[in-house]
Amino acid sequence: MKPVVLLIGKLPGIVGHLADELEDLPIRWLGAHDHGEVVRQLETEPEIACVIMGAGLPDDIRGDLVGIIAAVRPDLSIHLKDRASGPEGMAPFVRRVVSGMILNRD
């Protein structure tokens, strides 16, 4: 069974675009772009291994989502992408997180 990673981003199509770029990784990608979708994914998918959040969301929304994730699923690690690398830095960031946190687990 593939590990599950929840990607949170500003745009609804975050999963499709990133999944195409990261298709070589043995991961099942889920996506969310707002409060409701994040809660729904956390409550309905118990196999989520970690959460990766893009930098396109405003800080207040990112902070709110971090709080929700921590409250609903305190077992998950949450990884926030920096803004300096821009949108083109999302795929490499996701690859680094997944490679280090999920795929190299003992």
Side-chain angles (χ1 to χ4, degrees):
M1 184 159 68
K2 291 181 178 181
V4 179
V5 173
L6 176 59
L7 300 172
I8 302 172
K10 183 176 181 179
L11 302 174
I14 185 168
V15 173
H17 175 69
L18 284 174
D20 289 345
E21 287 190 54
L22 304 170
E23 67 184 353
D24 59 303
L25 298 174
I27 299 292
R28 184 164 65 96
W29 306 103
L30 297 177
H33 74 280
D34 64 25
H35 180 104
E37 285 184 347
V38 170
V39 171
R40 183 179 58 77
Q41 295 284 23
L42 294 173
E43 291 179 344
T44 62
E45 182 51 71
E47 299 301 317
I48 294 172
C50 77
V51 176
I52 302 174
M53 191 179 308
L57 295 167
D59 286 340
D60 60 330
I61 293 174
R62 283 171 40 130
D64 177 56
L65 293 175
V66 167
I68 291 165
I69 296 162
V72 174
R73 291 287 306 276
D75 59 308
L76 295 178
S77 61
I78 305 166
H79 306 271
L80 302 174
K81 185 194 158 296
D82 69 290
R83 288 198 168 101
S85 64
E88 62 278 354
M90 185 65 170
F93 177 73
V94 171
R95 182 177 296 279
R96 284 191 307 273
V97 170
V98 168
S99 295
M101 296 291 300
I102 307 298
L103 300 177
N104 290 332
R105 286 185 176 172
D106 293 331

